[in-house]
Amino acid sequence: MKKFICVIPRQKAGDLSNVRYQAQGNRALDYPGATRFPVIPLIWGYGQEGEEIRVIALSADYDNCRCNLELLKEELEALCKDRGLSCPKGVEVVEVPFDESLDSHIATFQKLIDRTEDGDDLYACLTFGSKPTPLVEVMAMQYAYRVHRDVTITCAVYGQMDHSVQPPAAKLYDITALITLDDIVRRLAEQRVSDPKAVLDRILNL
């Protein structure tokens, strides 16, 4: 099943810019509307009409997160109706502590992998959350890929907002290749390759 993982932002709801993200390098992410959440273009691009999907959101027990969660639910409902998608569970909330301790991040990792299974097609938005949170998301996806059967990591995105201009300029990057490269780099390190960049250049045809 297609599962979309994201993080509920901690900013005040009024601080979230409702913008049209410009897709960078992946036309599937070229969502025609405005949104506060980069996961929406991701769902738009990869969800197919008549398909059932799941949306899994990490959220802290915090007023701002609760407000933003409701906004995401509204946008997801409208998107599913417009796109002809089925998301019977709505936004599935994974509650995470409002702290940055190692124990908390390990607990979040466990909660995420508990939501994965054989045959999953995984997607992730790595835009929001504290700096360690995207690492936990990626770790969980890689673990699922290596442990379960027939799991794919199809697309991971990062939304960039430039507030130096008005209205803010928003870009959406497909950074899936970085996850793949991380796995390749790990294998190169195990083989003690002395010039990993040369190998990566050949792989990427640079």
Side-chain angles (χ1 to χ4, degrees):
M1 177 174 287
K2 289 182 179 177
K3 295 178 180 176
F4 297 84
I5 303 168
C6 63
V7 179
I8 302 299
R10 297 178 181 181
Q11 293 98 316
K12 292 181 180 179
D15 290 344
L16 293 177
S17 297
N18 191 33
V19 296
R20 183 177 184 274
Y21 281 90
Q22 300 294 323
Q24 305 295 306
N26 183 348
R27 291 189 175 182
L29 302 173
D30 192 16
Y31 178 58
T35 180
R36 301 174 184 86
F37 306 97
V39 72
I40 291 293
L42 181 61
I43 297 170
W44 170 272
Y46 287 93
Q48 301 297 317
E49 184 175 356
E51 196 169 46
E52 181 177 324
I53 64 170
R54 290 176 63 183
V55 177
I56 300 165
L58 302 176
S59 184
D61 184 17
Y62 180 55
D63 284 344
N64 289 355
C65 291
R66 285 189 285 271
C67 291
N68 291 327
L69 173 60
E70 293 306 312
L71 292 174
L72 177 59
K73 287 179 179 178
E74 291 174 6
E75 289 200 28
L76 176 63
E77 183 178 356
L79 172 62
C80 287
K81 183 177 180 180
D82 187 38
R83 198 65 164 166
L85 299 174
S86 172
C87 189
K89 295 185 178 180
V91 180
E92 303 174 47
V93 176
V94 174
E95 294 184 0
V96 296
F98 196 72
D99 69 64
E100 302 299 335
S101 68
L102 178 60
D103 288 346
S104 293
H105 292 307
I106 292 175
T108 299
F109 167 76
Q110 182 66 54
K111 289 177 181 178
L112 280 177
I113 62 174
D114 286 346
R115 305 251 180 164
T116 63
E117 55 196 344
D118 293 348
D120 277 348
D121 188 6
L122 300 177
Y123 303 80
C125 176
L126 307 176
T127 305
F128 296 121
S130 62
K131 287 182 172 60
T133 307
L135 299 177
V136 177
E137 289 181 81
V138 171
M139 285 169 52
M141 289 193 298
Q142 288 180 323
Y143 187 88
Y145 171 76
R146 292 167 183 158
V147 171
H148 295 305
R149 292 178 298 176
D150 301 320
V151 167
T152 56
I153 301 173
T154 300
C155 190
V157 299
Y158 171 73
Q160 181 194 63
M161 191 74 66
D162 181 1
H163 290 279
S164 67
V165 296
Q166 291 298 324
K171 295 180 180 180
L172 191 60
Y173 292 90
D174 180 343
I175 58 173
T176 318
L178 288 177
I179 298 175
T180 303
L181 288 176
D182 178 66
D183 192 52
I184 294 172
V185 168
R186 178 181 61 84
R187 297 184 185 188
L188 293 177
E190 290 173 352
Q191 298 172 17
R192 299 186 180 278
V193 173
S194 60
D195 188 3
K197 182 180 181 299
V199 177
L200 295 176
D201 286 348
R202 288 199 298 272
I203 293 172
L204 298 173
N205 295 317
L206 295 179

